[in-house]
Amino acid sequence: MDFTPTEEQAAARDLAAEIFADLAAPERLAAAGTGSDAELWKALCAAGLPGAVEDIGLLGLVLLLEEQGRVTAQVPFAASCVYGVLAVAAHGTAEQRDRLLPALRQGSAVATGAFPARGGVTASADGTLSGTVAWVPWLRDATVVLVAAADRTLWLVRVGDARVEPVELTAPWAAGRFVLDRTPGERLGGPGAYDDVRAGALTAFAGLQAGVCAGSLARAVAHTNEREQFGRPLAAKQGVQLRAADAYMDTEAIRVTAYEAAWRRDTGLPYDTHALTAAWWASEAGKRVVHAGQHLHGGTGADLDHPVHRHFLWGRQLDAYLGCGSEVLEELGELIAQGEPERRGERG
């Protein structure tokens, strides 16, 4: 295994970090409320970053999402790339790729995903879908939704053909309830497509959580070095050092498991169990890190307007998204107990 970024991946990561640092200031994030930052999304698209994901792969996307997570930037970057660009590129027909990818690369079309399949949506023989997805992240920004039906088939649905009801989540992700009533859908991919897209989503959002945790810890370290108690910085106290050290190790565990899953996907190796492992670390360790970040801020951490509280909210939301730690662990155990080769998710 070699997780060293390629020249292209490193260049994309550095460009993303620069854009996020310039435009994802706490004041701008507060002004965005629960919606997205349209100017930031426009800047990312103008830099060609959504389209670059096809070339830099899932590992490259994880690197970009780490930078987004560090500043909790409110843009549908993860969703549009994993449910749109990568899903269509891997599982779309030649006609679908030609028709859908240009707009997704440019950001003029935004994709999100109604995942995982939990029986809420059924597909009929005539290609229409019915059912309700209680909440879909970034739905209020999306033009197309990749819907996972109860039978684990994938369908592209235009947002304009369905009903969207705004929903407020723990984290401000411009979410909505997606209501389908014999809504026309377009089939994407065949057998294995659902497993591959879901594993990619688990990996991508684990990378986002690694960034959220890294940002939370960086804020806690800065605060405890600046804040003094009895004439000494809080960071000089052993209890503070131990709490920060545990948070650092948890963050690194999230990062390395996400890197491994992404690297295996990019090299064509089975990665289902690795994606679930990354998701488990992102859920369980992610909660610990964002709680520690808020705790190490002391009374300041109780301020709902403080930037560290955004990391706490994002960390808790990512814990729940695509399955909390116990659900992911159950699925991972069942997959291992089967003793069968991992699903690879045939592409094309």
Side-chain angles (χ1 to χ4, degrees):
M1 292 181 290
D2 183 3
F3 304 149
T4 304
T6 65
E7 184 177 342
E8 292 79 10
Q9 289 170 337
R13 177 198 60 199
D14 293 345
L15 178 57
E18 181 180 343
I19 294 172
F20 286 129
D22 288 343
L23 295 179
E27 316 81 62
R28 286 178 55 86
L29 295 173
T34 62
S36 298
D37 188 327
E39 184 178 346
L40 175 55
W41 178 243
K42 183 178 179 180
L44 292 168
C45 295
L49 290 176
V53 171
E54 285 181 87
D55 298 321
I56 62 178
L58 185 56
L59 180 55
L61 175 58
V62 166
L63 294 173
L64 300 183
L65 294 177
E66 274 194 85
E67 300 305 323
Q68 178 186 358
R70 288 180 200 278
V71 294
T72 60
Q74 288 173 211
V75 286
F77 195 36
S80 197
C81 287
V82 77
Y83 295 125
V85 176
L86 291 181
V88 173
H91 300 289
T93 64
E95 187 278 330
Q96 286 175 321
R97 292 195 294 269
D98 290 343
R99 172 166 48 88
L100 299 171
L101 282 176
L104 289 169
R105 291 170 184 146
Q106 297 164 9
S108 55
V110 174
T112 189
F115 270 70
R118 287 189 174 129
V121 176
T122 57
S124 302
D126 61 359
T128 60
L129 293 90
S130 297
T132 299
V133 184
W135 64 272
V136 177
W138 310 110
L139 181 59
R140 297 188 329 243
D141 296 330
T143 55
V144 63
V145 180
L146 184 61
V147 178
D151 59 358
R152 291 192 168 198
T153 54
L154 298 182
W155 302 82
L156 291 166
V157 176
R158 293 184 302 177
V159 172
D161 291 336
R163 189 167 84 248
V164 174
E165 301 170 354
V167 171
E168 299 304 336
L169 304 179
T170 300
W173 286 1
R177 181 179 294 104
F178 202 42
V179 182
L180 305 167
D181 184 9
R182 297 194 60 80
T183 304
E186 178 182 356
R187 182 73 185 271
L188 181 74
Y194 171 85
D195 292 326
D196 181 55
V197 172
R198 173 144 186 267
L202 289 169
T203 304
F205 282 94
L208 184 61
Q209 182 76 300
V212 169
C213 291
S216 174
L217 182 58
R219 291 187 182 279
V221 169
H223 175 79
T224 54
N225 274 285
E226 295 168 0
R227 182 81 170 179
E228 292 190 357
Q229 189 178 66
F230 306 116
R232 299 178 62 198
L234 289 174
K237 298 182 180 297
Q238 188 179 47
V240 171
Q241 294 172 4
L242 291 173
R243 193 82 196 273
D246 285 342
Y248 174 79
M249 294 304 295
D250 273 337
T251 301
E252 288 301 295
I254 300 169
R255 176 181 289 118
V256 73
T257 51
Y259 282 8
E260 181 179 8
W263 175 82
R264 290 180 67 89
R265 194 263 189 189
D266 290 344
T267 53
L269 295 171
Y271 74 114
D272 280 35
T273 57
H274 301 80
L276 289 167
T277 301
W280 182 84
W281 275 105
S283 174
E284 295 297 310
K287 283 185 294 188
R288 292 195 293 266
V289 174
V290 296
H291 275 268
Q294 191 147 320
H295 184 200
L296 290 173
H297 276 76
T300 306
D303 182 357
L304 301 185
D305 294 325
H306 194 282
V308 76
H309 189 64
R310 292 180 54 84
H311 292 269
F312 176 78
L313 296 178
W314 277 60
R316 293 310 307 256
Q317 188 68 63
L318 284 164
D319 162 44
Y321 187 48
L322 294 178
C324 66
S326 58
E327 292 175 317
V328 169
L329 190 61
E330 180 183 15
E331 185 177 350
L332 176 59
E334 290 174 352
L335 195 61
I336 294 173
Q338 289 172 5
E340 299 174 357
E342 294 181 273
R343 305 182 299 270
R344 292 186 66 164
E346 295 180 8
R347 301 170 194 167

